[in-house]
Amino acid sequence: MIPRSATGPCPCGGQPFGAPLSACCGPYLAGEGWPPTPEALMRSRYTAYAVGDTDHLFRTWHPATRPSGVEADPSLTWTGLEVVSVSGDDDEGVVEFAAHWTSGQGSSRQRGAVRERSTFTRRAGRWLYRDGVPSQS
Ligand SMILES: [Zn+2]
């Protein structure tokens, strides 16, 4: 399980590095403010997957592309996020990342990573996740 300790770093690793959940993604998950950049939004969505906050995933997903229901896979434990690159302009941003996971226990334990280039667009002043494609880097 991802610890929800107030003193440990945010599940996304912290921005700046090592920042606790309460000073990083926590306020966005709580609906106190909106992530100001595509990277901040991407980090908050990773953290939402890590803690199972599907409401945050839903509301940060562009209405044109979001599924009718958003589910976090309970068999995966998210163990870390690497932001590989960030690009874009004021209206559209692309964040390439690797999200690491483990699954199972003991000898059946597996680990892997989701690598994706996610595209974010700004709508009514708020960044939203639009879609993503697998990335090989
Ligand atoms: Zn965070």
Side-chain angles (χ1 to χ4, degrees), residues 5 17-18 37 40 53 70 74 82 97 100 105 111 126 128 135:
S5 152
F17 182 74
T37 64
D53 185 341
V70 182
E82 279 172 68
F97 65 90
H100 296 271
Q105 293 185 346
R111 59 183 62 237
R126 290 180 166 184
L128 294 170
S135 144

Side-chain angles (χ1 to χ4, degrees), residues 38-39 83-96 117-120 127:
E39 181 181 350
V83 175
V84 177
S85 69
V86 179
S87 59
D89 57 28
D90 287 348
D91 298 316
E92 183 172 297
V94 175
V95 181
E96 185 174 356
R117 286 171 58 89
S118 294
T119 300
F120 299 88
W127 287 104

Side-chain angles (χ1 to χ4, degrees), residues 43-69:
R43 286 178 173 277
S44 75
R45 287 176 51 84
Y46 170 84
T47 297
Y49 275 109
V51 303
D53 185 341
T54 53
D55 288 348
H56 184 71
L57 295 170
F58 189 80
R59 71 171 170 259
T60 57
W61 208 315
H62 197 291
T65 55
R66 77 182 166 206
S68 57

Side-chain angles (χ1 to χ4, degrees), residues 10 12 24-25 47:
C10 185
C12 83
C24 187
C25 300
T47 297

